[in-house]
Amino acid sequence: MAPLDPHSFTDSHHPLTTDISLSLYLDFPSATIHGVAFFILKSPHVGQLSFDTRSLSIHQVLSPITLSPLPFSLSSSPDPIKGTQLSISLPDDDVLNSFFIVFSTSPSSSALQWLSPPQTFSKKHPFVYTQCQCIHARSIFPCQDTPAARIRYSALLNVPRELSAVMSARHVDRRSPVSGEGHSHLLPGGFNSLWCSETRVVEEFQMNQPIPPYLFAFAVGELGFREVGPRTKVYSESVNSVLDAAAKEFAGTEEMIRQGEKLFGDYDWERFDLLVLPPSFPYGGMENPRMVFLTPTVIKGDASGAQVVAHELAHSWTGNLITNMNNEHFWLNEGFTTYAERRIVEAVQGEDRAILNTGIGWKGLNEEMERFKDNLEFTKLKNNQEGVDPDDVYSEVPYEKGFQFLLRIERQIGRPAFDEFIKKYIATFKFKSIDTHTFLKFLKANVPGIEKEIDLVLWTEGTGIPPDAYEPVSNLYTKIVSLANEFKLGRMPREDEVADWRGQEWELYLENLPKVIEASQDYEVKVAFLQLAIMSQCRNFYGEVEKTLKEVGRMKYLRPLYRALVQGKGKEEEKILAKRVFSEARECYHPIARGVVESIFAKHL
């Protein structure tokens, strides 16, 4: 076997999947999905074919011609990172490039979170959503779960009639179920007969552009929406207060799309819709094409949450159009997207705002260097992740060091030339997955002599922050840090000095204070303060720490708070609090978030 990806069983000698057709029956009472997937390979294949699965039951693999069973086997013990290998034997007497797999998920699927009504905004209906990045699509359906395998897909989702569905795909139809439609006649366990129940409805979707499996996404619940632009609807549970707040926060989305098109070329995905998920969503945002997923914590009431949208929008060009070959080259997704995000923010909100973001990112990058001081491999842009769970080493390094690398190239050749280079790069590699070597080869071909001016090997394969990185200089950034330093001398900022501050400014100010007591409805500000409260053991605020850990599931907030509680000596009370809160809140967290907290505990408890 010749691995294509350290996080996948996919064999580089096997043909990759190009198209998948899914018929999925979502069974809310059992928190499972029963499905049939029809796979088309790039070319016919004979012999063994390896797929990734995790926590799936594989019922049958079937010939598309005769529907006769094809031999398959599952590895005897799951790999703790990659899951279970599915090996399919394709016959040599009837060469195939397609087949069916009949399967069921389990309630422990790492990509799915099933929410009961009390865990939702509406408190009336259940909700389910996916989170497939980095390597979790394999827990929804068997696949070659690597970004190297770009797939087109169609899907029929059979859901309770009172609910509706959205996907990272074009919505085709909502209709009553039809007997035998799609591949529903092959569903396991009698669910083929339940397909046409009067209590059910079918939502049909089509994704005609090839995307990596981690961008497969759907959500099902009682959904409503607001129109905020010609290409954008904002969805959430059908709760007016949430929908109205989201529509206000993201009202400027169309202008960001237009600026992105000026910078990077046409927007190729037709729609740029947004879904605000329940509070348990473990990330700030997820760039699923056509349907970005967002945490409700980005709704801050002052439109500053739109910067998260700017990042996910930037992925429409860098990450979704051009994708890293595997997670060892993750900076190609996130470094480019951080650069593109800040260019969009600069165009829409001004240069000082973009430089403020760069300053905050620079501070975060230096903190990550401290975090990985005993494991410098993960301070590299191109790193070795063999035997490493990508969720465990997720950090700001690919974002901010990747951004700094691209900024270094821009500073060397000038912005106009770099703008042309970026457009050519996107046009050349759109709908492809590439690695760092491919990017560097393209860079040297299009910017002759660049390797003599910039140490490309040091930037991509070296540890730490290169000496020619750029520490940003921003009037606003300097002012905020200066005010924080003055606080240490006993001076509070005047009201007129902070009148225009939003969450980002307060976050930066608080992070530069020694110890401060402050509260805010902005989670960026609140969590920055609560970390300080924990570090200084201001136990009067531990009730707020507990409340925050129980009301949000975004890992950006869970990680630092749990880490602050359990890291270091002399924190027995804090460790007891962390374990108790996690035991009470864990069922409200997404499986990925649960795993992250458990890994923090494993390291520090």
Side-chain angles (χ1 to χ4, degrees), residues 33 52-59 74 84 86 101 103-106 108-109 137-143:
I33 297 173
D52 300 302
T53 77
R54 181 186 290 123
S55 304
L56 293 181
S57 296
I58 306 299
H59 303 292
L74 295 167
T84 301
L86 169 63
I101 301 179
F103 63 94
S104 298
T105 67
S106 78
S108 62
S109 166
R138 65 193 69 183
S139 70
I140 302 176
F141 59 95
C143 59

Side-chain angles (χ1 to χ4, degrees), residues 188-199:
F191 284 94
N192 54 347
S193 61
L194 296 175
W195 184 271
C196 290
S197 167
E198 292 181 357
T199 65

Side-chain angles (χ1 to χ4, degrees), residues 185-303:
H185 59 292
L186 300 175
L187 285 169
F191 284 94
N192 54 347
S193 61
L194 296 175
W195 184 271
C196 290
S197 167
E198 292 181 357
T199 65
R200 310 287 294 188
V201 69
V202 167
E203 301 264 23
E204 181 178 357
F205 298 88
Q206 186 84 35
M207 170 50 75
N208 292 321
Q209 295 152 306
I211 62 170
Y214 73 82
L215 292 177
F216 176 88
F218 67 78
V220 178
E222 185 192 27
L223 300 175
F225 66 86
R226 297 284 188 272
E227 297 266 7
V228 297
R231 290 179 274 191
T232 305
K233 294 177 181 177
V234 176
Y235 292 81
S236 80
E237 289 180 72
S238 191
V239 176
N240 286 335
S241 59
V242 178
L243 286 165
D244 292 341
K248 181 180 178 182
E249 191 79 20
F250 308 128
T253 300
E254 178 61 24
E255 176 60 19
M256 289 196 296
I257 299 173
R258 286 199 293 263
Q259 292 298 333
E261 288 184 310
K262 288 180 183 179
L263 290 165
F264 311 119
D266 291 343
Y267 179 80
D268 280 334
W269 304 96
E270 186 182 7
R271 299 286 306 174
F272 184 72
D273 293 324
L274 311 171
L275 172 65
V276 177
L277 285 159
S280 61
F281 183 59
Y283 292 98
M286 182 62 209
E287 63 270 20
N288 307 310
R290 302 182 63 104
M291 184 61 67
V292 166
F293 284 8
L294 295 169
T295 169
T297 62
V298 300
I299 302 175
K300 302 179 180 182
D302 59 6

Side-chain angles (χ1 to χ4, degrees), residues 494-514:
R494 299 189 311 272
E495 186 173 339
D496 64 294
E497 291 176 310
V498 300
D500 296 328
W501 282 14
R502 295 186 287 186
Q504 271 190 313
E505 288 90 335
W506 281 110
E507 178 188 3
L508 181 62
Y509 178 76
L510 288 175
E511 286 180 345
N512 281 278
L513 293 180

Side-chain angles (χ1 to χ4, degrees), residues 521 526 542-552 581:
Q521 294 303 307
K526 180 185 287 189
Y542 285 8
E544 190 64 31
V545 172
E546 178 174 349
K547 178 183 175 185
T548 301
L549 288 171
K550 288 182 174 179
E551 69 186 6
V552 300
V581 171

Side-chain angles (χ1 to χ4, degrees), residues 58-119:
I58 306 299
H59 303 292
Q60 288 182 301
V61 180
L62 302 172
S63 164
I65 301 171
T66 63
L67 294 184
S68 58
L70 298 175
F72 71 90
S73 64
L74 295 167
S75 53
S76 56
S77 58
D79 181 277
I81 297 171
K82 294 189 284 188
T84 301
Q85 181 176 358
L86 169 63
S87 297
I88 302 168
S89 296
L90 296 179
D92 54 10
D93 59 344
D94 193 6
V95 179
L96 299 175
N97 74 329
S98 62
F99 48 87
F100 292 100
I101 301 179
V102 183
F103 63 94
S104 298
T105 67
S106 78
S108 62
S109 166
S110 60
L112 293 164
Q113 184 166 26
W114 301 83
L115 301 176
S116 63
Q119 296 172 294

